[in-house]
Amino acid sequence: MPSYIVGNWKMQLSDQDSSALAKEVARLWSAQAASRPQVRAVVCPSHLALRAVGEVLRGTNVALGAQDCFWEEKGAFTGEVSPKALKELGCEYCIVGHSERRQYLGETDEMANRKILALLKQGLTPILCVGETREERDAGRRDAVVIGQVRAALKDVALVGTQRLIVAYEPRWAIGTGMPCSPDDAASMHQLINDTLAEMFAPDVAERQIAVVYGGSVDPKNIASYLAVPIIQGALIGGASLKAPDFAAMCEAASEPAK
Ligand code: PGA
């Protein structure tokens, strides 16, 4: 199982800036990637920039991901984008259930579940985001919230053949705040997620086809402390993924011998 370093560019960049960043990331990382097959670098631009970024990344060692999708293949769903359309643009990954979508757009675990099933059907790898709010943590509900999100979003999900899944533990209070969850704390949440997955999937599937990564204020300075924990299999990175040298440095950190 590789270490996944995933950049979530959110709604931060224009089409042109996205292409320029992708070019720079591919240039910096491609020089090293061939000798570091254990790292999988993924960038997730806005839907509008997917085609242009996909063209820039074709034939490079950086994979393309989307930030969201709809669960139907086609039809009268104004404003939505299907997994099939994402696949046609070259996407291999898609973020699902990000906390910003949960917070601002009312995305639920049930919606995330439908998206995951639709993505797997098209052969894309879903990146499911889970994580508690500060209030839930303070109220002692952290574990129950995260277990509930994993169980509901992965209901009826069976990974067959080469299908893969990434679960990102992203405590909401750590996202974009510069206040990351401590590596110890993240490690115990990863263990909890692994235990939940072990109840839902056969042991070989959970081990070989599902990766659990950490997200929330990860940067080039702190990433090594997360990746030093064997059960943290990568990172989902927002703000710090917007600078190509930083992103390349974080990919490099994931390829250190300890991993
Ligand atoms: P951040 O965002 O790295 O800026 O905290 C992470 C995310 O939203 O996935």
Side-chain angles (χ1 to χ4, degrees):
M1 178 77 75
S3 283
Y4 292 93
I5 300 296
V6 184
N8 174 8
W9 294 354
K10 306 194 180 184
M11 202 177 72
Q12 302 284 18
L13 303 173
S14 69
D15 199 17
Q16 278 181 350
D17 290 345
S18 302
S19 294
L21 177 59
K23 231 175 249 165
E24 196 52 11
V25 165
R27 187 181 70 78
L28 291 172
W29 180 235
S30 291
Q32 313 183 46
S35 59
R36 295 172 155 105
Q38 69 276 36
V39 181
R40 187 77 169 129
V42 183
V43 295
C44 304
S46 74
H47 281 160
L48 274 181
L50 281 173
R51 184 184 296 278
V53 170
E55 274 161 24
V56 168
L57 297 181
R58 193 170 304 134
T60 73
N61 292 303
V62 181
L64 184 67
Q67 297 176 15
D68 183 42
C69 69
F70 192 56
W71 52 78
E72 296 290 347
E73 227 171 72
K74 168 175 199 298
F77 304 108
T78 304
E80 295 297 335
V81 176
S82 71
K84 190 162 184 266
L86 295 178
K87 190 180 179 182
E88 282 163 9
L89 288 174
C91 286
E92 295 176 66
Y93 299 84
C94 182
I95 297 170
V96 170
H98 190 279
S99 69
E100 285 148 15
R101 297 197 60 82
R102 292 178 189 260
Q103 184 178 349
Y104 302 122
L105 294 148
E107 183 147 335
T108 62
D109 292 324
E110 202 234 330
M111 288 157 81
N113 179 244
R114 295 175 80 171
K115 293 177 184 189
I116 289 169
L117 291 168
L119 285 163
L120 289 170
K121 203 168 148 205
Q122 292 297 330
L124 277 80
T125 298
I127 303 172
L128 166 67
C129 300
V130 298
E132 80 287 356
T133 62
R134 168 65 69 193
E135 294 70 37
E136 288 163 343
R137 172 171 277 240
D138 290 347
R141 295 179 47 229
R142 179 192 67 179
D143 294 7
V145 165
V146 172
I147 292 171
Q149 288 172 338
V150 171
R151 287 201 160 276
L154 298 181
K155 184 169 178 278
D156 298 331
V157 170
L159 298 173
V160 294
T162 56
Q163 288 177 335
R164 292 213 166 175
L165 170 75
I166 300 171
V167 179
Y169 172 59
E170 295 207 308
R172 282 201 211 183
W173 47 271
I175 295 178
T177 57
M179 291 192 301
C181 180
S182 76
D184 281 354
D185 210 339
S188 68
M189 292 310 287
H190 275 63
Q191 190 56 56
L192 183 78
I193 291 169
N194 281 345
D195 292 346
T196 309
L197 294 170
E199 288 166 15
M200 300 179 74
F201 295 89
D204 57 326
V205 171
E207 196 180 315
R208 284 201 229 117
Q209 291 171 254
I210 310 178
V212 185
V213 305
Y214 170 73
S217 297
V218 173
D219 62 29
K221 287 204 194 84
N222 65 22
I223 191 164
S225 61
Y226 295 101
L227 299 178
V229 180
I231 56 171
I232 299 185
Q233 295 164 291
L236 177 55
I237 305 149
S241 71
L242 298 172
K243 287 196 183 123
D246 286 356
F247 188 71
M250 292 187 283
C251 291
E252 206 175 321
S255 63
E256 292 304 315
K259 290 309 277 184

